[in-house]
Amino acid sequence: MAFIADRLSRIKPSPTIAVTTKAAELKAAGVDVIGLGAGEPDFDTPDNIKEAAKAAIDAGKTKYTPVAGTPELRKAIVEKFKRENDLEYTIDEITVGCGGKQTLFNAFFATLNPGDEVVIPAPYWVSYPDMALMAEGTPVIVECQEENDFKITASELEAAITPKTKWVVLNSPSNPTGAAYSRAELRALADVLLKHENVYIMSDDMYEHLVYDGFEFTTIAQVEPKLKDRTLTCNGVSKSYAMTGWRLGYAAGPVELIKAINKVQSQSSTHTSSISQAASVEALNGTQDFLAERAEVFKKRRDLVVAALNECEGLSCKTPEGAFYVYPSCAGAIGKTTPDGKKIETDTDFVTYLLEAEGVAAVQGSAFGLAPYFRISYATSDDALIEACKRIKRACAALK
């Protein structure tokens, strides 16, 4: 009898975490590495949020909380959805988890039966398919083309839905591409989903506040209210508020689904940190002025990186609407040979070459379900980005 569960053979460790870990190991060994793999803002958590956490500790808010989250936090989330998304929820329609990842995992675990299908547009965040597999579901991957800005079209969605489809995952702005769905694009997808009454929508809006060039963020339950009762609208404080380590995500949806998610959570983590919850109340209720300021910094970094990558031989890079990633094509490098005589046959070969030859850590597009591309996170300093792009350009020029 095998000791390790069979279900683990269906999944793989997170490639993005693996790249970040490898970069950290090389740095610790004295190698000059610029890490562009992590999906984590380089900004610090705002002071008002940190002070709220300290005050919570001093006030003794260090005990267990309700599984779904404190009433204060769920009320703040209700108000956030009404204020920013024109969505009306009650606190019973809100769940809080240990980061956005746990909320999504709980939803799949609470709803998927063997053979249930989850439609996932690619490129996708690396965890979606594996979480579905862990819950004994079947990921249905729809490759979205660069000419469509890596977004699923209405016709592609219609073709992917079958009688076994239980969920459709929408991530806007996207990790890994930064692409964001316009209201008109969501409207077209909503028209398809209205015809399939047994399909639920998982809307991952984690990068909501990181949009540029006047792009108007909308979420699908906002665009089509008739879908609200079968949409799980997911968000969190990690990216916009630079609170990745605080581990707090949240979601809103129909009461039956939220109860099921809470049931799963009650037998796993119970709840996230009471201090993180207190800090998140301040994040949502406090000043939001810094969001626009930080988004402007990210926009400038995006523009810097896109321009530099498009000057690299063999690379091409679209300008995304949001998040802090770009997803350049390395198709022009495939088939070439490195100075050491190694042939670049895949995007994995290409990012391995960048790391070994120039100390630049990025993530291969195949990890996100669409090759030959690679993901760069520009959530780091201008100086690091400028130097990284110089190294990438040098590496590309050295290929023959």
Side-chain angles (χ1 to χ4, degrees), residues 25-334:
E25 290 172 352
L26 289 172
K27 282 184 179 180
V31 179
D32 179 17
V33 174
I34 301 175
L36 303 179
E40 180 171 47
D42 58 319
F43 296 112
D44 194 12
T45 303
D47 288 341
N48 64 307
I49 298 173
K50 292 191 287 185
E51 290 303 321
K54 295 173 188 176
I57 294 171
D58 291 340
K61 294 182 179 180
T62 55
K63 307 298 183 183
Y64 291 134
T65 78
V67 170
T70 64
E72 294 84 3
L73 178 54
R74 283 182 287 155
K75 183 173 183 291
I77 294 167
V78 166
E79 291 172 351
K80 173 261 184 276
F81 278 122
K82 183 176 181 179
R83 177 180 70 245
E84 297 183 348
N85 309 111
D86 197 26
L87 291 171
E88 298 271 359
Y89 293 103
T90 67
I91 66 168
D92 292 335
E93 295 175 302
I94 304 295
T95 186
V96 175
C98 300
K101 181 179 284 189
Q102 189 193 29
T103 304
L104 305 182
F105 178 89
N106 287 348
F108 282 155
F109 203 80
T111 59
L112 291 176
N113 291 312
D116 286 346
E117 294 178 349
V118 181
V119 175
I120 302 173
Y124 47 69
W125 179 47
V126 294
S127 293
Y128 295 140
D130 286 307
M131 288 192 293
L133 288 167
M134 280 277 282
E136 299 188 90
T138 301
V140 175
I141 308 303
V142 179
E143 292 191 357
C144 302
Q145 303 308 307
E146 183 174 353
E147 54 263 34
N148 294 325
D149 297 327
F150 304 113
K151 292 179 275 193
I152 192 170
T153 65
S155 60
E156 289 170 338
L157 177 59
E158 182 69 70
I161 293 174
T162 76
K164 295 182 179 180
T165 305
K166 183 163 280 185
W167 286 99
V168 170
V169 177
L170 296 175
N171 177 209
S172 175
S174 161
N175 176 5
T177 68
Y181 288 89
S182 68
R183 179 180 286 270
E185 289 166 335
L186 288 175
R187 176 70 264 166
L189 298 179
D191 289 341
V192 173
L193 291 163
L194 285 170
K195 296 185 290 183
H196 298 277
E197 297 182 355
N198 294 322
V199 175
Y200 276 69
I201 304 100
M202 181 178 284
S203 183
D204 184 349
D205 302 347
M206 187 63 73
Y207 296 89
E208 171 185 4
H209 292 294
L210 299 175
V211 291
Y212 317 118
D213 304 321
F215 182 88
E216 179 191 356
F217 173 85
T218 48
T219 190
I220 196 161
Q222 178 183 9
V223 171
E224 178 46 76
K226 291 178 182 177
L227 293 175
K228 179 171 173 279
D229 288 341
R230 49 190 175 100
T231 298
L232 185 69
T233 303
C234 308
N235 213 314
V237 297
S238 297
K239 312 298 183 178
S240 298
Y241 298 93
M243 295 175 67
T244 51
W246 299 77
R247 304 314 301 138
L248 191 138
Y250 57 84
V255 169
E256 180 184 22
L257 174 58
I258 297 300
K259 284 182 177 179
I261 288 171
N262 292 338
K263 187 175 183 180
V264 172
Q265 186 160 289
S266 74
Q267 296 294 358
S268 57
S269 65
T270 305
H271 61 79
T272 193
S273 161
S274 60
I275 306 307
S276 294
Q277 292 188 60
S280 297
V281 171
E282 174 61 22
L284 296 176
N285 288 346
T287 179
Q288 308 292 304
D289 292 347
F290 63 91
L291 293 176
E293 296 168 3
R294 293 184 175 185
E296 183 60 26
V297 172
F298 280 130
K299 176 190 178 298
K300 290 178 180 177
R301 292 175 179 175
R302 178 204 64 175
D303 294 344
L304 182 161
V305 171
V306 169
L309 290 174
N310 281 320
E311 293 178 355
C312 296
E313 186 177 347
L315 304 185
S316 63
C317 186
K318 295 184 76 73
T319 302
E321 293 91 349
F324 40 64
Y325 309 106
V326 291
Y327 200 66
S329 168
C330 57
I334 303 300

Side-chain angles (χ1 to χ4, degrees), residues 146 313-316 328-336 344-347 350 371-374:
E146 183 174 353
E313 186 177 347
L315 304 185
S316 63
S329 168
C330 57
I334 303 300
K336 293 186 176 181
I344 303 293
E345 296 182 342
T346 66
D347 51 18
F350 181 75
Y373 297 88
F374 62 107

